[in-house]
Structure formats: structure tokens, C-alpha cells
Amino acid sequence: MTQLLEIAAAAARLIVDEGMEYDQAKRRAARDFGARVELPDSATVEAAVREHIAIFCADTQPAELRALREVALLWMERLAEFHPHLAGAAWRGTATRLSALRIELYADDGKAPEIALINAGVDYDVDSLPAGHGPGGRHRREPIPVLTVASRSAELNDIVTVHLIIHDLDDLRGALKPDADGQSWRGDAAALQARMAGAAA
């Protein structure tokens, strides 16, 4: 096994077993290999995550994934005016009960989703992602706002962390560009329901 694959496998264990995000898991997994080691790309890590799930979590992960997607649908329905799209592990099918949900919102007014949560009496935390390229490929000079809420899942009997990531409405046009394998990085509520129906069939 090459060093990159070893790091990817170690990162996969951290992602599945501890609920780490990809970037954090890659850096943690690489520590044992030295400061200047090359990190695997996210596609390599995702493949390792799928392999880890197939070996160690095949009997529990599908139900956990469905429960997380049900929570995602609930929030996507609540925030439908902001064109919500599910991204991350829950969309790609690699989430477990420890995974946080990533729901991307698109709004002309970046404060509008926050106001909607306030009006609904929802408690939330405010954070941000570094400036960079949005889903549509447009460069953002300012940090990307993130609102984080806690949502209980009856199926999991646990609290699910939901990150609401707020993008400019113009980013929506390029949001569905596929990855190198032709798979989408995110999907709206209808696409998520279709994916859930396919998994249940």
C-alpha cells in the first residue's frame, strides 16, 4: 500500500469512527508520516471511507444514513425559500450517525436565512468558512457564513449537527457541476428523495 493510500485509510477510520471532517482527518492521519508528507485528495479518502464502511459498518450504516437524510429533508423543507441543497457525506452516501449535515443555502441577502431562524425561534451558532470558490466556481473574497443548529433524530435517538452554509444566489447556477466521475456534489430536496427511494428499493 502506498503512503497516500495508507493516509487515506487512516483518515477514513477517523471520519467514520470519530465523525471528523475530511481535511482535519487527513491532517491528523498524516502526522505519523512527517511534516512534509503529501496528502491524498478527497476522492481517494472517500473511496477509503466507502471501503471502511463496507467492512466494518455495513449492517448499521444504511439505516443511519437514511435517518440523517430524513433530518436533512426536514430542514430543507423549513428553509425551502433559500433553495437548499444537501452536500457532503449525507448526500454522497457515506454518512454515519457521527456525521454532521451540510446544507447549502442560496440567498440574495446573506442575513435572510439567519432572520428566518430567529423568526422561527431556532437557536443557532454563527461561524464561517474561509473565503474561496463557491459552488458555482465564483471566488468569494469574504468568509462564507455558516449557521449551525442542533436537531434531534428520533430514529438515531441522538442530536444531529446541521451546518447551514450560506452562498450568494448567483452561485446556484453552477452548483450542480459533477465530479470527475460524473457524480453530483449536492442535490435539492427532490433529488435527495429520489436517492432515498433508490436506496430503499
Side-chain angles (χ1 to χ4, degrees):
M1 181 182 292
T2 68
Q3 188 178 83
L4 280 177
L5 293 179
E6 289 177 357
I7 295 172
R13 289 193 294 272
L14 294 170
I15 291 164
V16 176
D17 298 341
E18 299 186 24
M20 279 191 187
E21 297 291 337
Y22 272 44
D23 287 344
Q24 181 187 11
K26 286 192 284 186
R27 290 193 299 270
R28 174 81 67 83
R31 285 180 186 172
D32 294 337
F33 294 86
R36 298 181 180 277
V37 68
E38 182 183 358
L39 297 180
D41 60 26
S42 292
T44 301
V45 175
E46 185 178 90
V49 167
R50 293 186 188 280
E51 183 177 358
H52 187 88
I53 288 172
I55 295 170
F56 297 104
C57 312
D59 56 338
T60 57
Q61 191 266 347
E64 293 176 359
L65 174 62
R66 182 169 184 84
L68 288 171
R69 286 174 165 177
E70 292 284 1
V71 173
L73 276 176
L74 174 66
W75 284 97
M76 293 168 83
E77 290 166 1
R78 288 179 175 176
L79 298 167
E81 64 184 297
F82 304 115
H83 314 282
H85 283 66
L86 180 64
W91 170 252
R92 302 279 287 186
T94 58
T96 68
R97 65 183 302 117
L98 297 178
S99 303
L101 293 173
R102 294 172 57 91
I103 299 176
E104 297 180 348
L105 306 178
Y106 299 85
D108 274 328
D109 179 359
K111 286 290 184 182
E114 188 171 356
I115 293 170
L117 293 182
I118 293 171
N119 290 340
V122 175
D123 292 329
Y124 61 91
D125 292 323
V126 179
D127 202 348
S128 64
L129 295 173
H133 292 284
R138 297 169 60 250
H139 185 73
R140 290 278 298 263
R141 294 183 179 180
E142 304 82 20
I144 299 169
V146 180
L147 308 177
T148 299
V149 300
S151 187
R152 172 161 286 280
S153 166
E155 289 82 2
L156 296 176
N157 191 29
D158 205 351
I159 297 296
V160 176
T161 299
V162 183
H163 298 305
L164 304 170
I165 303 165
I166 304 172
H167 296 290
D168 293 335
L169 186 59
D170 288 343
D171 286 333
L172 183 58
R173 282 180 289 180
L176 297 182
K177 290 180 179 178
D179 65 12
D181 296 322
Q183 301 297 313
S184 58
W185 288 110
R186 54 190 61 81
D188 62 13
L192 177 57
Q193 288 171 325
R195 212 163 253 217
M196 292 170 69

